[in-house]
Amino acid sequence: DQQVKQNSPSLSVQEGRISILNCDYTNSMFDYFLWYKKYPAEGPTFLISISSIKDKNEDGRFTVFLNKSAKHLSLHIVPSQPGDSAVYFCAARRRGSQGNLIFGKGTKLSVKP
Amino acid sequence: EAGVVQSPRYKIIEKKQPVAFWCNPISGHNTLYWYRQNLGQGPELLIRYENEEAVDDSQLPKDRFSAERLKGVDSTLKIQPAELGDSAVYLCASSLGGTNTEAFFGQGTRLTVV
């Protein structure tokens, strides 16, 4: 039973446009959410996070939105650049579990010039 | 500053053989994780260390997998004997610990069991 779901295996966006990556979760005990980016043959790289007490966190071109009632979060990249092409993983931490992260299956983003 | 270092990068072994992976975390990071990533999946936690203590190994297949973190720094993950289904990327990560959850990952070891 997947607790963190990324239902879109892939997404293709034109350079300069907005990329929106979605993530749904089922466990209401999750209190912290993270996005990681992964290039081929490299380990995941931390991108941005959000606590469950917030509904938005912004860092440069990257913004994460959290809708707790819908158990949904999204990552917005504006404007998208070809270097953003990678696999993006959504991850969640259960309250009280310290650092254990539960990951989604990932969404492969392709930004076309 | 050096990141999380893992070795080897790639390993091909025959089934029933033993294999070991090594990880050197970021200096000062008390928490160390081993994750396994199967093809097309996200990473799944195998074991988490707080300093030298394994505080969560509930997902570690203990019949064939073992891990240690001597002196609370470097860690090794061992599989003996390896099975075909163990083919995956094994990722080591570290974090400062406590409420700081941002984990920094190494490049991983891609294991192929033939």
Side-chain angles (χ1 to χ4, degrees):
Chain A
D1 180 32
Q2 268 214 301
Q3 299 185 64
V4 177
K5 301 177 183 178
Q6 294 179 257
N7 292 320
S8 298
S10 63
L11 175 67
S12 183
V13 172
Q14 204 67 32
E15 179 180 8
R17 306 295 290 270
I18 184 172
S19 295
I20 300 177
L21 298 105
N22 294 304
C23 178
D24 297 295
Y25 61 96
T26 58
N27 194 331
S28 58
M29 293 295 287
F30 289 147
D31 69 345
Y32 197 72
F33 303 89
L34 305 89
W35 284 94
Y36 281 83
K37 177 171 71 174
K38 185 182 183 304
Y39 293 118
E42 294 185 12
T45 302
F46 170 72
L47 195 57
I48 193 169
S49 62
I50 187 167
S51 166
S52 61
I53 62 174
K54 296 184 176 181
D55 54 17
K56 177 183 176 181
N57 188 25
E58 189 173 355
D59 183 2
R61 297 186 297 114
F62 303 91
T63 303
V64 56
F65 295 92
L66 175 62
N67 182 334
K68 282 191 295 182
S69 61
K71 294 190 175 68
H72 176 84
L73 64 156
S74 60
L75 174 68
H76 292 210
I77 306 174
V78 183
S80 300
Q81 300 173 354
D84 295 329
S85 298
V87 177
Y88 288 78
F89 290 98
C90 173
R93 180 191 73 183
R94 195 177 68 251
R95 188 177 302 116
S97 69
Q98 292 291 76
N100 294 5
L101 297 177
I102 298 174
F103 284 82
K105 291 185 177 183
T107 297
K108 183 176 183 180
L109 174 65
S110 299
V111 180
K112 301 188 183 304
Chain B
E1 180 184 340
V4 176
V5 180
Q6 291 187 247
S7 69
R9 288 293 312 277
Y10 305 92
K11 189 75 176 179
I12 301 174
I13 61 170
E14 294 184 343
K15 62 182 179 181
K16 301 184 181 180
Q17 294 302 306
V19 65
F21 315 124
W22 175 81
C23 173
N24 178 243
I26 293 173
S27 177
H29 280 194
N30 297 323
T31 305
L32 183 145
Y33 315 79
W34 283 102
Y35 282 85
R36 177 171 59 188
Q37 185 176 14
N38 292 310
L39 191 64
Q41 304 292 317
E44 295 179 326
L45 181 72
L46 290 174
I47 189 169
R48 175 169 65 93
Y49 282 92
E50 296 292 342
N51 297 303
E52 66 274 9
E53 182 181 359
V55 296
D56 186 349
D57 63 355
S58 57
Q59 301 301 315
L60 190 72
K62 298 183 184 61
D63 56 336
R64 298 183 299 108
F65 285 65
S66 64
E68 61 181 9
R69 190 184 184 195
L70 299 177
K71 301 181 181 178
V73 181
D74 294 359
S75 177
T76 56
L77 178 68
K78 298 178 182 178
I79 309 174
Q80 182 172 11
E83 297 179 353
L84 295 176
D86 296 331
S87 296
V89 176
Y90 290 82
L91 293 160
C92 178
S94 69
S95 68
L96 286 171
T99 57
N100 187 312
T101 303
E102 285 81 12
F104 297 83
F105 284 83
Q107 290 183 299
T109 297
R110 179 176 294 278
L111 173 67
T112 302
V113 182
V114 297

